[in-house]
Amino acid sequence: MSNERPPEWPQEIELLYRNQGRELWALFYAQCSDAESAYDALQESFTRLHEHNGESIQNHRAWLLRVGRNWLRDVARRKRVAAKPTEHLEHIVGEEQGPENNLVLQELNDQVREMVSQLKEGDREVLVLRYAMDWSSHRIAEVL
């Protein structure tokens, strides 16, 4: 994920982006299982924060999370597609295996992807935060 931001963002939003961006991206990723869509949701939520002229926001993180999640849901509705499976399991670094072992590993990865895609959004969030972000159970509980 890039730390680039539009040059017109005020310093307060830039600081919020630097401090919260990776975590918000991970939560968006847990919802959609697509790194690019999660990044788009992150950018959309911060852009809307920058453009926000309504009532004051008490909790910026919660507001950004709500905006990004709603944006992802709207995109999914428009496309009428379910969450896409992740491809990162295919790129696990390890010893070179023979073709037979590669096939077995591929089948296992496909089964895991299928099972994860059937989980509820909240359950996927917990798995991403725990295993992709390496968060402790305590931190996950605080955030969620």
Side-chain angles (χ1 to χ4, degrees), residues 40-52:
D40 290 345
L42 180 68
Q43 292 301 312
E44 184 67 27
S45 61
F46 273 90
T47 298
R48 289 185 187 185
L49 176 62
H50 179 253
E51 295 170 349
H52 179 73

Side-chain angles (χ1 to χ4, degrees), residues 92-140:
I92 297 174
V93 178
E95 282 185 35
E96 186 64 32
Q97 303 291 323
E100 241 179 63
N101 289 338
N102 285 339
L103 182 60
V104 169
L105 183 59
Q106 178 63 43
E107 288 175 358
L108 179 60
N109 287 342
D110 290 343
Q111 289 173 351
V112 169
R113 246 189 252 103
E114 175 63 27
M115 296 230 182
V116 169
S117 73
Q118 294 177 17
L119 292 174
K120 293 178 183 176
E121 180 183 320
D123 295 336
R124 281 195 315 266
E125 273 183 321
V126 171
L127 289 176
V128 167
L129 293 175
R130 178 67 185 113
Y131 296 103
M133 300 293 291
D134 198 29
W135 284 13
S136 69
S137 299
H138 180 73
R139 183 166 183 201
I140 293 171

Side-chain angles (χ1 to χ4, degrees), residues 9 13 17 24 28 38-52 60 63-69 71:
W9 279 9
I13 294 177
Y17 184 85
L24 291 169
F28 297 147
Y39 182 71
D40 290 345
L42 180 68
Q43 292 301 312
E44 184 67 27
S45 61
F46 273 90
T47 298
R48 289 185 187 185
L49 176 62
H50 179 253
E51 295 170 349
H52 179 73
H60 284 92
W63 189 92
L64 290 163
L65 187 57
R66 186 176 68 244
V67 168
R69 283 180 168 170
W71 183 85

